[in-house]
Amino acid sequence: MVQGRGGPSDSPGPETGTPVGDVYEWFQRGMRLLSEGSPAAAAALLERAADAEPESRSVREALARAQFNSRQYADAADSFRWIIDANPAEDYAYFGLGLSLWRTGDMEGAQEPLAIAVAMRPDLRHYVSALKSVRATLRARRM
């Protein structure tokens, strides 16, 4: 096994194609990759973690963030929807879903989850700003 700065390699094991370590280690390495600016690598590792622990909301949220940051917007939207289905009180998931839909070009679809996020957390300026931008775009398209 190759050792790097932070521990075991993120490369697959020689025979299984599975990353070295357990789900928690995959999650930790995925989070590190995400914070270090490697969202595509993080998404690949976190996808494995989500497959192994399908009920983990923390893994799913990290996966959604990694997918969004690596421009996998449709996949990110699916992951954020999963979080909302599991817990409809997750304002960040509504925000992430809205942004993901916005990035796919679905302005109509983006408006509702962003409005829900703003209704849940009107104090968060970035939520309000995103909703205003989507609504302004929709108004401009109607003119």
Side-chain angles (χ1 to χ4, degrees), residues 2-114:
V2 177
Q3 291 282 346
R5 289 181 294 138
S9 168
D10 293 328
S11 304
E15 288 136 27
T16 64
T18 302
V20 175
D22 62 17
V23 175
Y24 181 74
E25 290 170 318
W26 300 345
F27 173 74
Q28 290 297 318
R29 289 197 313 260
M31 292 299 292
R32 187 174 62 248
L33 287 165
L34 188 56
S35 72
E36 292 173 351
S38 298
L45 195 56
L46 291 164
E47 181 73 45
R48 289 289 200 140
D51 288 345
E53 290 288 335
E55 300 304 312
S56 173
R57 286 199 320 251
S58 58
V59 169
R60 194 66 67 148
E61 182 179 314
L63 172 59
R65 288 178 47 222
Q67 290 167 326
F68 184 87
N69 289 345
S70 62
R71 298 184 174 135
Q72 299 172 47
Y73 301 122
D75 291 337
D78 290 342
S79 292
F80 283 121
R81 277 190 195 98
W82 183 96
I83 296 166
I84 291 167
D85 289 343
N87 184 1
E90 292 281 348
D91 62 280
Y92 180 76
Y94 285 103
F95 176 67
L97 174 58
L99 289 184
S100 298
L101 293 172
W102 181 2
R103 297 299 169 112
T104 66
D106 184 0
M107 292 292 174
E108 290 289 339
Q111 185 174 213
E112 183 179 348
L114 288 172

